[in-house]
Amino acid sequence: MHRMGPQHRHAGTLYHERHVLIARRGHPVVKGKVSVRGFAKLEQVIVSPAGGAFSTPVDHALAALGHERQVVLSAASFLFVPDIAS
């Protein structure tokens, strides 16, 4: 039996994620750039394809900066978010 050790393994980046903020047109807080603090204060929709999740890596990153966001709704698909935000 031939065993492949660590020297035969290759590692690389599979993909990069990009996060965007969507808000209804004319939202009083979302004008131009939004600070981390301002972002955390917004009521937010989270996308959870598995259903019901209210925490993502974004929450971990915010916590590391001393912030906690206000997730008020968990949607099953990104397709629902524009209608929800409007």
Side-chain angles (χ1 to χ4, degrees), residues 14-75:
L14 295 176
Y15 59 89
H16 292 279
E17 287 186 329
R18 188 173 136 218
H19 297 265
V20 297
L21 171 64
I22 319 176
R24 68 173 165 78
R25 192 179 305 260
H27 192 287
V29 177
V30 182
K31 297 177 185 174
K33 290 186 177 184
V34 178
S35 69
V36 173
R37 183 176 179 209
F39 172 79
K41 287 184 174 185
L42 294 170
E43 290 185 341
Q44 299 185 30
V45 176
I46 199 169
V47 176
S48 173
F54 281 83
S55 179
T56 71
V58 171
D59 297 285
H60 303 292
L62 287 171
L65 297 171
H67 298 285
E68 182 178 351
R69 67 179 173 162
Q70 299 179 52
V71 176
V72 296
L73 181 69
S74 177

